Amino acid sequence: MKRFAYARRQMPRVLQGPVRADRRTKVLAKRLEPGDIAILHHVDLDEVAADALIAARARAVINTAPSISGRYPNLGPLKLVRAGIPLLDTTSTDCLHLHDGARITLQDNRLLHEQRVLGTVTWLDEDAVLTQMARSMKNVRAELELFVDNTLTYAGQEKHFFLSDLPNISLATAMQDRHVLVVVRGPTYRDDLRAIASYIQDLRPVLIGVDGGADALVEAGFRPDLIVGDMDSVSDQTLRGGAELIVHAYPDGRAPGLARLEELGLTPHLYPLPGTSEDVAMLLAHEQGAELIVAVGTHSNMIDFLEKGRRGMASTVLTRMRIGNKLVDAKGVSLLYGRSVDWRAALVVAGAALVPIMVLLWLNPATRNFLHQLVLNLKLLWS
């Protein structure tokens, strides 16, 4: 048995299929067809990216950057391999230039295209991923120290933006004294939206999608009232869905997301502020007089921010300090909010439903005779 297991581990690994390549994972995930081999360049593959690749039903994933660099234990690679999607690292970037649909062959540690070797690959199975994650745990304390220092440094530089009057824009969507739901496409956004579906249906909060969070709302069956962000990860269809659009601009006025909306013939608002787009969405709701701000999928810890590519969370700390107790997490809402069952109303509905059934039964001669005999037998039995 041991000899057989050893032989099985030594069997050559071969994989073939069409490819689609892009350095930007979120762009690539939208282009993937089921069965494609995804080629990307993503240092420390994050959980959200892994979810997108799984949802796109990628045949395999080839990363031209380290899937786990060792800085911190990112969860994306583990999600991929546990979903049954082969993950391979390669140092070759030639494969990033392959045209869509080009067929490649992965044979052991070689990556081939039209019989030409493009480079070597390293297969990352679950054991290899867990081993690398365990090693990266040793670096967490040092990474946390750098993260805290970075947060404090930028908090000192950005505090005047958050302590002074923020930009005032006139919106068609009223938020004064209303609940506002801010949706970010974070690791748990699908579960969070399912958990608070009844809250959304009953209280009708203002729905703000942050970039891809707007698509998340549409997927869950809701229509965003506002879309906030860089506009780089939300679909054209959702952008054209009628929501008010707020482009997150840099403090100096530059707004990279504006060009895309202009190409689509859409006119947005600009909101210049340092920090993340989810910070902008929350501050906007706060400044517009929201009674309560409920956050879905937002980033709130070091791992979240490192996976987002940020080395600190100064703006997020300052945003939460300014908003105060108006901000709650969707998980808390799902625990506190739920529909209570009115049993009296339920009995009335059930009784009303039985009335026409009893009338129909009584009008049927056969049923009426049966019921008549049943009543006579019960009387005899009683006497």
Side-chain angles (χ1 to χ4, degrees):
M1 180 64 71
K2 289 182 179 179
R3 188 164 60 249
F4 172 75
Y6 178 81
R8 184 174 57 186
R9 286 197 299 268
Q10 298 303 309
M11 287 178 65
R13 289 188 271 198
V14 179
L15 190 64
Q16 294 179 323
V19 302
R20 290 184 193 270
D22 202 301
R23 285 181 171 270
R24 303 181 67 187
T25 309
K26 57 186 175 184
V27 175
L28 175 61
K30 294 179 180 179
R31 293 170 42 220
L32 285 176
E33 300 289 340
D36 282 345
I37 296 175
I39 301 178
L40 46 87
H41 187 87
H42 196 142
V43 179
D44 291 323
L45 191 67
D46 61 83
E47 197 173 358
V48 174
D51 286 335
L53 293 166
I54 293 168
R57 295 165 59 191
R59 173 74 177 85
V61 174
I62 301 173
N63 196 352
T64 60
S67 295
I68 304 177
S69 70
R71 289 194 305 120
Y72 66 97
N74 53 305
L75 297 174
L78 189 61
K79 265 204 164 183
L80 274 180
V81 297
R82 285 186 171 172
I85 297 177
L87 174 62
L88 307 94
D89 277 2
T90 180
T91 56
S92 171
T93 57
D94 289 347
C95 54
L96 280 169
H97 305 297
L98 293 172
H99 61 82
D100 287 356
R103 295 190 67 83
I104 63 168
T105 300
L106 294 161
Q107 188 170 14
D108 286 338
N109 67 336
R110 296 186 304 161
L111 172 59
L112 301 99
H113 171 58
E114 296 179 348
Q115 306 302 316
R116 182 169 66 94
V117 178
L118 297 181
T120 59
V121 297
T122 302
W123 295 71
L124 298 177
D125 57 17
E126 185 171 342
D127 289 341
V129 169
L130 289 173
T131 299
Q132 291 192 31
M133 289 179 70
R135 289 173 183 165
S136 66
M137 285 295 294
K138 299 176 182 178
N139 298 323
V140 169
R141 176 171 290 186
E143 196 68 34
L144 177 59
E145 185 174 346
L146 292 172
F147 189 87
V148 171
D149 289 343
N150 184 286
T151 297
L152 294 175
T153 298
Y154 278 90
Q157 295 174 7
E158 297 174 356
K159 64 184 179 182
H160 65 281
F161 282 97
F162 295 87
L163 296 177
S164 59
D165 292 336
L166 296 179
N168 183 30
I169 59 176
S170 179
L171 297 174
T173 304
M175 288 184 258
Q176 183 69 40
D177 299 325
R178 295 184 63 186
H179 286 204
V180 174
L181 184 72
V182 176
V183 179
V184 179
R185 197 162 56 180
T188 62
Y189 76 91
R190 286 192 179 91
D191 292 338
D192 289 348
L193 280 175
R194 278 195 294 267
I196 62 170
S198 59
Y199 161 79
I200 298 172
Q201 292 164 358
D202 289 352
L203 268 71
R204 301 291 180 184
V206 176
L207 303 180
I208 301 180
V210 178
D211 279 320
D215 286 329
L217 279 165
V218 173
E219 291 168 8
F222 304 106
R223 178 184 174 276
D225 298 297
L226 296 100
I227 301 175
V228 178
D230 302 326
M231 308 300 166
D232 62 347
S233 58
V234 56
S235 67
D236 290 351
Q237 184 178 0
T238 299
L239 286 173
R240 291 191 177 107
E244 282 195 87
L245 307 175
I246 297 96
V247 174
H248 178 197
Y250 294 111
D252 61 10
R254 288 179 298 123
L258 183 59
R260 181 186 176 196
L261 298 187
E262 289 176 342
E263 289 176 2
L264 294 172
L266 301 171
T267 305
H269 302 275
L270 291 184
Y271 203 91
L273 201 77
T276 66
S277 295
E278 62 191 73
D279 297 332
V280 171
M282 293 177 187
L283 287 168
L284 186 65
H286 174 68
E287 297 303 305
Q288 293 285 321
E291 179 186 0
L292 187 74
I293 302 169
V294 180
V296 170
T298 54
H299 303 84
S300 58
N301 59 66
M302 184 186 80
I303 299 298
D304 283 350
F305 277 85
L306 291 176
E307 291 207 327
K308 192 174 172 61
R310 299 180 67 89
R311 297 299 185 95
M313 52 186 294
S315 62
T316 298
V317 170
L318 294 170
T319 295
R320 281 155 173 74
M321 289 177 66
R322 178 158 183 146
I323 293 175
N325 58 8
K326 276 187 182 182
L327 179 65
V328 297
D329 189 81
K331 293 180 178 62
V333 173
S334 67
L335 292 174
L336 294 172
Y337 181 85
R339 286 198 182 112
S340 59
V341 179
D342 188 337
W343 290 108
R344 287 178 297 180
L347 288 173
V348 169
V349 171
L354 285 174
V355 170
I357 295 174
M358 295 302 296
V359 169
L360 289 173
L361 289 175
W362 182 254
L363 292 176
N364 186 295
T367 307
R368 189 165 62 247
N369 289 334
F370 171 78
L371 291 174
H372 184 67
Q373 292 295 326
L374 181 62
V375 170
L376 288 176
N377 287 333
L378 288 174
K379 286 182 177 180
L380 290 172
L381 182 64
W382 182 259
S383 61

